[in-house]
Every structure is written in C-alpha cells, then in structure tokens.
Amino acid sequence: MNQQASALVTAADISRLAGVTRATVSNWRRRHPDFPAPAGGTDASPTYDLDAVRAWLSARGQLPEDTPADRLRTALRTHPGDGELALHLLPVVVAAARLNRKEREALPELRDDALLRWVRSAAGDGADDIPGIANATYGPDATGPLRTLLRCVVTDGAEAATDVLAERLLEDAGGTGTYLTPRPLADLMARLLTDSAGAFPASVLDPACGTGSLLAAAASAGATALHGQDVLVAQAAPAAVRLRLSAREAAISVRTGDSLRADAFKGLIAEAVLCNPPYGIRDWGHDELAYDQRWAYGVPPKGEPELAWVQHCLAHLSPRGRAVLLMPPAVAERTAGRRIRAQLVRDGALRAVVSLPQGAATPLHIGLHLWVLERPDPQAEAPGTVLLVHAAAEIRDLDWDAINDTVLSTWRSYLADQDGFTAAPGIAAALPVTDLLDEAVDLTPARRIRTASRRTLRPALLARQASELYDQLRQAATDLAGLSTDGDWPPADDRPREWRTATVADLLRGGALSFLRTAPASRRTRSGQPLSQPEPEPGGRPAFMPLDVSENRPASGTKADLPTGVALPLVQESDVLLPEILVGKRTAVARVVEPDETGCFLGPHLLLFRPDRQRLDPWFLAGFLAAEQNVNAAATGTSLVRVDPRRLRVPLLPLAEQRRYGAAFRRLHELRTAARRADRVAEDVTRLLGTGLTGGALLPDGHGSA
C-alpha cells in the first residue's frame, strides 16, 4: 500500500511545499476552481490530499524541487502516529552524527533488516538522556522515514534534520506561544556572564530552556556543564539533541516539567543562569507556592510571574553567581512588584537593567529588558549602585554590533570600577541604591537615565561633539546628493518583462555557481572535499557578520563573535554575500565582496555565492538573489525568517545584459548605503543636541542675537 496516497496536508504545509505564503494558498483556493477540494479537516482548518496538491502545483510550475528536508517533512506527515515517530527519530540523528561521512552515507543504502539492526543498537545508546524517549521501538514500517531522515542528515546536516523533527513535534504539541531566543541576543546574554577577569562560568542552568539557544550560546562561550528544563517535551527533547550536536564535550542534562511547580534540578547550585522565562503567564502556581523557600525577596503577586522566575534563578546560584534574564519592560515599573524590586536593589541582587531596541526578540513590538542579577555574598558588603543602560537610545534597525558594543563595553567598564564609573549622557548611568528606593522603585532605564543625565553633562564636550557631527552630516549629505540624480530608468513594454529562471540548485549543478557557509569542521561536500579548511584561530583577520552585509560596513567580526569547531570559509573578490536569517520585518540585502576585502572570514548566518564570472555577473546575481519576492518564496518562519538558498531563482540572461542590470543594482546599493549613513549621522546630531538643550548644557543656535 502506498502510504502517501492517503496523506493529508494543511494550508501551512502547502505554503511550505510551494515556497509561498499562506495568503497565496488562500488566493489559489478562491480563484482557481481546479484547486483540490478539501479531503478532511474542518471548515476552519481543511486538509488536502498530498498527491492531488502536488499534481496541481506541478501542472502550474509551482512545485520546487524537493529538498531532503521537504522529503523528511512529507515522510513524517504520511506516517501513522508521526508525532511519536518524530520524537523517536531524535536519537537516530545523534547516532548518525557520531559517524564519519563515509559511514553516514552508507546508512540509507542498507537493507531494511540491516538498517533496523543498526538503529536499534545505535539509537539506544544515550536515548535516556533525551527527554520523552522511553522504550522507543523501530518496526519495519519505520524504514522509509529512517532512510529519509538519514539522507537529510547526510545532505543538510544533523542540525537541519533536528529542526524538521522539532517543527513537527511542536505542531503536534500545539506549541503556540513558544519563541526562539535569537542567536545574537543569546550570545549577548551569555557574554554578560563573563567576569571582570574574562573567565566564563563552567556550569550554567536555563530553567525555561525552550530550543536550547541560550545554553548553546553558553557552551560556545566556554561552559562545560549545561542544565536545562522546559515544560514541553516537544521543546526539551530537540534542545537536548541540539546541545549534544553543538557541545559534544560538555556534560548535558535536559529535563521536562514546570520549573516553578516541579523543579527538576532541586538542590542544584550553578555558577550562572540564563533564562528567557514564559511571557505573561498568570497561572504560574501562585496559590500552591505561597510558602516556597525560594521567595527570599518577597512572595510574588499573582500578576508578577517574572519576579517568581527571578527568585527561582537566584535560588540556583552560588554566592556571587550571576544570572541574566530577558524581561518584559513592565516588570521594571508595575506597582504590584515594587516591594520585591526594592528588596532586590537593597540587597545588591540586581546589578544592571538594560533596555533593548524593539525587535530584539518576540514580542517584536516591545523593547525588552535584560536584568543582570547576582546572588549576594553574605560575607561581602552590598553594592552601592545599580547600572542602567538605555541601549535603545542610540541604536536603530536592530544593529547587533552596535548593541553589543554599547552594552558590553558599558558593563565591563562598570565592573572594572564601579565607584569611578563615568556615565554616558542619555545612555548609561550607575545610580545609587538610595536614588532608586523611592516610592515607585521604577527601574526603567530611559526614565532614570534621563533624570540622572543632567548632573553629568559637560557643556564644552557636548559643543565640540556637536560640531564634529555636523561636519560628518554635511559630508554625508554631499555624498547622498551626488547619488540622487534621477538617471535614465525607461519603462519596459506594456507589461513587465518575463524571464526563464533557474534555481540556485540548478546553477550549482551546472557549475555556474559554488556555494559556501560556515559549517561544522567535520562536514564535507558530496565529493568528500572539505567545504573549507578549518581555521579555529582566526588571528587578526576580521569576519563578515550579517550586519556588515546589510549595512555595507567593513568586516567587523572578531574571534569572540565566531562559533567554535567550525570551518570558516575565506571570502574572495566578487563573492556575493546574503544573510541567511532575517528577523522581524527586515528585508534582505546582498552585497558583493570588494578586492580589498579578500581574505576575510565568512561569519555565521551568512550565505556565500561564488559565481563563474564568465557566466554570471556578481552584482546582477546579488540584485536578483535579494529581491523581496525571491526571498519570500524561498523563506520559512515568521518572526525568525530563514532563507533556503537552493530555492532562490535567477533569470537566465546573456552576460552583456546581466552586466547592465548589475551596474544598476550596484548604483542602488551605493544609494542605500549613503542614505543610511546620512540617517545615522542625522539621528546622532539630533539626539546629542536634544540632550544638551534639555539638560541645560547647550544654548539655542544664535543665542543672544536680535
């Protein structure tokens, strides 16, 4: 019997299959009478026969070439009891990842009986360390999904296969409201744990670990013992696998359960805690936990679950151990929590509050806060100040390099000399505890820093800085004006041009392109050749980071920004770089590597396309790869959008015509870069002048004239 004959898929599955949005699928249903009729589900959420959908898409030319990940998704959906199957396949991923490339490639070709013998033997080793895996069985009906999974591991890597399994588990668990902590934010939170001597804590706990991104960031920074707990098996199990893949030398313990009600690590004392606690959950156990010993700073009100998580994290720390939590901004000011906030400040448990720009993490419309906490040492005197950093004051467009620079440099300066810390007007201040212990105990950085800044302003310095910024603004405006001429942009014929196109996958097969990205050092291409030579010690060479590409800046990544144990490709002149991950509503921007940038490293989350210059113009390629409609059709995800490079499409045009388009795309790139530079300088000027005028340090232009 053909299992796929009875497979049913949702509109979301169809959008993923065709590489389009859900809205496009809805339009197809309304406008095309021949669109397959629902075969199941409900009126609000119909399902469709997979074979009928594939046939309809194929007839319209809307069916992209299946990727190994797509085939794995289909195998999971067409297999009875697929949620359980996805869970039981997780230890298979770990077992396959332990093998060398040749051994992994041989697995999908084994006979059914030999494949099942290997799986039953290899997957059982260590399965007990993956939450929810108990007495996993692999019968003859599992051989098809097993082969599909192993081919995905071979082609796309163990991490990509894990992502597909996790996606399916969350669908079955109804895991709405579960969000990824973006990697740049996770890295920032982990780096805040580094002490003043540069040492990183060995043991780290995350009591709401979700996908494991915070623990993975801790492992990259040097942690060797990782402890995580999550209420959903669908989150905890993939998190355990991801950590075993990315931090193979670390001791890993991931468990399931509600950390507040049923702490799986009761009695554990860790050196550090990282946590992105659940957002706005009122049913957190207030009634049954009223007399819990963890509430050393006061019983959290029912409407203050985040303050329960704060105290839970502090209870797991050793004296002087540090915790970093991602918090909603309302926790810093809500009336119900003021007594607990006051006690945290009074005892020296709260060391810093950092406000982040909007879009740093879900919910994207809110500027979240980072709370840096420290378990007080009973033998030491409590600190006299709390550091407040308003990182959102001067950072726009979610520039993670700027955020890291502002937050980390300020935090390190504060750690180095808390008594002599110099405030940055409008951005950072070390406020005395006595100033914070007023009636409201409002810890919102923007409000407190604005009040404190007036005392620290230096009129002569602000006047000199304003003059320098005006010089920069005049130069930026001149550059922008020179690029703002209308030019000659003639219309096409009555209708837009249409081209034959090829996918990147087609161009790779034809040799017109080669493709590189950062990858585990052990991963190799199908030919057996390394993607690039591993370079664990970058030395003085910088690496391109995603913001360097988007903002057309020089490569800025240092060794601290690069993951360990990876192959780091070196970029060459005319390579095309495109960010792999787009956060929120950010649009894709590609750029071409200039001659003086040759030899820099390719940082994480960047896609590198190397064209054959005799067949593809680099700027032509960059322009079409980054086209909004192209990226949308090749992307998956919502708040965190990941681009599948193989699905991107490129028109098939003669080289001479490519060069005409390439020159136009380069001109647009230069215009965008100049506009952004002018915008940044204008924002800097207005912010500094506004601070100086409202703080009394500067006088209005022309003061004293008639």
Side-chain angles (χ1 to χ4, degrees):
M1 178 179 176
N2 183 356
Q3 291 179 330
Q4 290 194 11
S6 59
L8 298 178
V9 291
T10 64
D13 297 320
I14 297 172
S15 68
R16 251 192 316 263
L17 184 64
V20 297
T21 64
R22 290 279 299 274
T24 300
V25 175
S26 296
N27 286 335
W28 288 343
R29 291 170 54 195
R30 290 194 302 268
R31 297 179 181 179
H32 297 281
D34 61 336
F35 189 85
T42 64
D43 290 341
S45 181
T47 56
Y48 305 85
D49 181 82
L50 175 61
D51 285 345
V53 169
R54 292 178 67 89
W56 189 86
L57 291 172
S58 179
R60 289 177 50 84
Q62 293 286 157
L63 187 64
E65 179 187 3
D66 270 356
T67 67
D70 292 330
R71 290 191 284 272
L72 178 56
R73 290 188 182 95
T74 301
L76 293 173
R77 182 162 294 284
T78 59
H79 191 278
D82 52 323
E84 182 178 276
L85 175 65
L87 186 62
H88 289 175
L89 288 179
L90 285 169
V92 180
V93 175
V94 178
R98 293 195 193 105
L99 305 177
N100 62 42
R101 181 77 184 193
K102 185 175 181 181
E103 292 171 330
R104 279 199 299 274
E105 289 180 334
L107 287 176
E109 313 309 321
L110 293 176
R111 291 172 40 187
D112 287 2
D113 56 347
L115 178 60
L116 290 174
R117 279 197 303 272
W118 174 82
V119 168
R120 290 164 182 162
S121 172
D125 181 20
D128 291 342
D129 296 333
I130 302 175
I133 305 291
N135 303 318
T137 58
Y138 306 92
D141 62 336
T143 54
L146 281 169
R147 293 186 198 281
T148 307
L149 171 73
L150 292 169
R151 290 189 177 109
C152 184
V153 172
V154 169
T155 305
D156 293 344
E159 296 87 352
T162 303
D163 288 345
V164 175
L165 298 178
E167 175 186 295
R168 191 67 189 127
L169 285 170
L170 274 178
E171 286 179 10
D172 272 24
T176 58
T178 57
Y179 304 110
L180 171 74
T181 304
R183 179 59 188 268
L185 176 57
D187 288 340
L188 172 60
M189 292 173 67
R191 291 166 74 177
L192 285 169
L193 296 176
T194 305
D195 65 21
S196 56
F200 195 83
S203 60
V204 179
L205 166 69
D206 183 351
C209 66
T211 62
S213 54
L214 287 172
L215 290 174
S220 295
T224 56
L226 308 172
H227 309 276
Q229 182 172 352
D230 197 86
V231 69
L232 292 178
V233 173
Q235 292 259 62
V241 171
R242 290 186 180 103
L243 292 172
R244 291 178 68 176
L245 294 173
S246 63
R248 301 190 182 191
E249 303 302 319
I252 298 166
S253 177
V254 179
R255 302 175 187 174
T256 55
D258 184 330
S259 290
L260 294 182
R261 288 186 170 97
D263 187 359
F265 294 100
K266 198 168 185 177
L268 171 70
I269 299 299
E271 295 178 35
V273 175
L274 291 170
C275 188
N276 179 357
Y279 179 75
I281 305 296
R282 294 181 64 86
D283 183 21
W284 56 269
H286 172 266
D287 295 337
E288 60 262 46
L289 297 174
Y291 300 101
D292 197 284
Q293 294 182 351
R294 289 170 291 183
W295 313 147
Y297 301 90
V299 178
K302 188 172 184 177
E304 295 287 348
E306 293 84 8
L307 292 178
W309 284 97
V310 164
Q311 297 190 73
H312 174 79
C313 294
L314 283 168
H316 275 291
L317 285 172
S318 58
R320 307 296 296 272
R322 193 176 297 155
V324 181
L325 280 74
L326 184 66
M327 304 286 274
V331 184
E333 62 171 334
R334 282 194 297 241
T335 302
R338 66 183 185 275
R339 292 185 179 178
I340 294 178
R341 292 197 300 270
Q343 197 61 43
L344 290 168
V345 170
R346 189 178 293 114
D347 288 2
L350 182 65
R351 303 308 321 279
V353 178
V354 177
S355 66
L356 298 171
Q358 292 181 4
T362 304
L364 299 173
H365 64 287
I366 294 175
L368 298 170
H369 289 178
L370 292 178
W371 282 29
V372 182
L373 300 133
E374 188 174 283
R375 179 141 186 194
D377 184 348
Q379 306 302 319
E381 183 179 352
T385 59
V386 175
L387 177 66
L388 300 182
V389 183
H390 187 28
E394 63 170 7
I395 297 168
R396 299 161 299 281
D397 298 329
L398 203 61
D399 184 338
W400 279 110
D401 290 332
I403 294 171
N404 284 329
D405 182 61
T406 297
V407 175
L408 294 175
S409 62
T410 303
W411 173 244
R412 289 164 184 162
S413 297
Y414 177 70
L415 283 183
D417 186 5
Q418 296 178 33
D419 294 332
F421 175 77
T422 302
I427 299 172
L431 269 69
V433 167
T434 52
D435 286 4
L436 295 173
L437 294 177
D438 54 18
E439 183 178 354
V441 198
D442 188 348
L443 305 177
T444 305
R447 296 193 191 106
R448 290 292 190 176
I449 292 171
R450 191 179 301 121
T451 302
S453 291
R454 183 182 179 91
R455 301 195 299 265
T456 60
L457 294 178
R458 298 166 61 187
L461 176 61
L462 257 66
R464 184 168 66 253
Q465 290 174 337
S467 177
E468 293 171 353
L469 284 174
Y470 262 117
D471 288 342
Q472 295 178 29
L473 181 59
R474 281 190 287 270
Q475 183 60 54
T478 300
D479 294 342
L480 181 59
L483 292 165
S484 300
T485 55
D486 289 338
D488 184 15
W489 304 94
D493 295 331
D494 293 340
R495 301 179 60 185
R497 293 188 62 183
E498 294 184 357
W499 302 285
R500 284 196 311 118
T501 62
T503 64
V504 165
D506 295 331
L507 296 173
L508 290 171
R509 283 192 294 270
L513 267 183
S514 56
F515 172 70
L516 295 172
R517 74 202 317 169
T518 56
S522 59
R523 191 189 298 177
R524 294 174 179 272
T525 62
R526 290 184 181 180
S527 65
Q529 296 301 314
L531 285 171
S532 69
Q533 58 186 22
E535 190 77 35
E537 295 293 338
R541 295 177 184 171
F544 275 108
M545 306 301 288
L547 258 297
D548 299 332
V549 174
S550 299
E551 303 291 336
N552 194 30
R553 304 181 311 200
S556 65
T558 64
K559 183 179 178 181
D561 299 312
L562 302 176
T564 58
V566 298
L568 299 173
L570 298 177
V571 305
Q572 299 178 8
E573 179 185 356
S574 300
D575 285 347
V576 177
L577 306 181
L578 179 72
E580 179 184 21
I581 295 176
L582 308 176
V583 180
K585 297 181 179 180
R586 173 173 290 176
T587 57
V589 175
R591 64 172 287 187
V592 177
V593 175
E594 302 292 348
D596 59 351
E597 297 171 326
T598 296
C600 293
F601 285 97
L602 182 73
H605 306 306
L606 281 176
L607 308 172
L608 185 154
F609 304 88
R610 185 165 292 161
D612 177 351
R613 298 285 302 275
Q614 301 303 312
R615 301 166 66 181
L616 284 172
D617 178 80
W619 277 105
F620 162 82
L621 181 64
F624 278 100
L625 287 180
E628 184 175 1
Q629 65 271 26
N630 200 8
V631 171
N632 288 342
T636 58
T638 52
S639 60
L640 190 75
V641 178
R642 186 182 298 271
V643 179
D644 183 347
R646 292 162 300 190
R647 290 187 172 184
L648 294 169
R649 306 189 76 90
V650 180
L652 299 176
L653 299 178
L655 187 59
E657 193 168 4
Q658 289 183 36
R659 287 171 176 158
R660 288 179 56 209
Y661 276 95
F665 285 131
R666 179 160 196 162
R667 182 176 172 187
L668 296 179
H669 179 79
E670 292 170 347
L671 178 63
R672 181 192 301 115
T673 301
R676 286 179 173 171
R677 187 183 306 117
D679 176 64
R680 282 196 298 269
V681 178
E683 286 285 347
D684 290 341
V685 168
T686 55
R687 180 186 59 79
L688 185 138
L689 291 177
T691 299
L693 290 169
T694 57
L698 297 178
L699 300 176
D701 186 30
H703 176 73
S705 61

